[in-house]
Amino acid sequence: MIEIIDKKNCCGCWACVQRCPKQCISMIEDDEGFLYPKVDKDICINCHLCEYVCPIINTDAPRKPLETYAAINKNEQIRLESSSGGIFSAIAEYIINDGGVVFGAKFNDKWEVIHDYTETIDGLAQFRGSKYVQSQIGDNYKKVKQFLTSGRKVLFSGTPCQIAGLKHFLKKEYENLLTVDFICHGVPSPGVWRKYLKEEVALICNPKNTVLPRSIHERDDLNVTIEGISFRNKTLGWKKYSFALDLSTTNESGEKIQFCSRKHLHENLFLKGFLANLFLRPSCYDCPAKCGKSGSDITLGDFWGIDRVMPELDDDRGTSAVLANTPVGIEALQQACVNLWDTEYGRILRCNPALEHSPRVPRNRANFFVSRQRSLVKKICRYAHRPIIVQIKNIAYNLLGQTIYNKLKQIRSKQRK
């Protein structure tokens, strides 16, 4: 049976829960806000099926992609609404137009991140954009199998470990299945996200901490509703993305008032903690699904450094790095409404080391979770510090990369003359 002793040995993919024939495994939240399987030993029949589908117990071999691209969605509006180049939406539209079903991560009515599916183009909007919180898979692997066995095409998108969990759950390859993962830095705690969101809204509504419309300032009792959340808002551009909260309240006349709180990625505390690896799942620090081990057909990410590699594509609206890992993935990209430019795997890896390397455990992580500091925001302020060596490496790389690019530009200019 599945028995989690060391928490780094569970990625929270829910495969074991869905495979259990006696339904004796449930997901329980721990003190860090992550879900882990717990077995009811009185019901368990020791069939070991839960172990056979675990992507950590059964780690697959690493692999390199067949093709790598820089890519942009041909629909400019979809591209602007997406985190990078809008490639997921283009692939998903292709699948739905062919009568298929698309699974992805979305917010529920409590602003928790869950997995769900849609059969319509309009339904894709809820899956668009990054969500830096671990999603709850629920029983979606079972639903995927039902659609596949009925002959429907299925696109399943998720983290690399979620794709690996699905693959082991299904136990065989399906010609009508397309899997898409992304270059994953790690998944933050849903519990931390829940507390952060509650505190952030309270701070926004405090006149001493932010500037809101005058009519809201005059109210003593605020009834604020979250209307939308964007982790990667492009109002200030793709490279300087912001965390945006769309909120609403009502005045004394019952009139609805809408306003937005927007903070640059280096100003927003949740993103700051995420980038400092402060509250990632323990398994993320030794990820079992990197280096192509997930088995996905396509891997998507941001093409950071595009200004140095292909400056003609750099309009600060978002360009995707795309890795086609299988012939099925290559065919899907050719059918989707996207522009593709061939590039080298090494160019993508240089600016996306998370493709092959797990983040380090920050020395402040344990202190963050055991601290009795009441305010989560203040805890993040205190403990979310990126290692100095990492900051120095990033600065050096950016300067060196720009220097090399400028030198090459000068050489090309001389050659043309």
Side-chain angles (χ1 to χ4, degrees), residues 17-18 50 95 135 197 260 285-286 314 321 354 358 379:
V17 177
Q18 297 174 79
C50 57
I95 294 295
S135 67
L197 190 59
C260 178
Y285 303 110
D286 188 18
D314 182 30
S358 299
K379 284 173 67 174

Side-chain angles (χ1 to χ4, degrees), residues 45 136 168 171 193 215 314 326 355 374 414 417:
I45 58 175
Q136 298 181 37
H168 286 288
K171 295 189 292 187
W193 163 247
S215 57
D314 182 30
T326 65
L355 265 171
R374 290 185 179 181
K414 291 180 180 179
K417 293 178 180 179

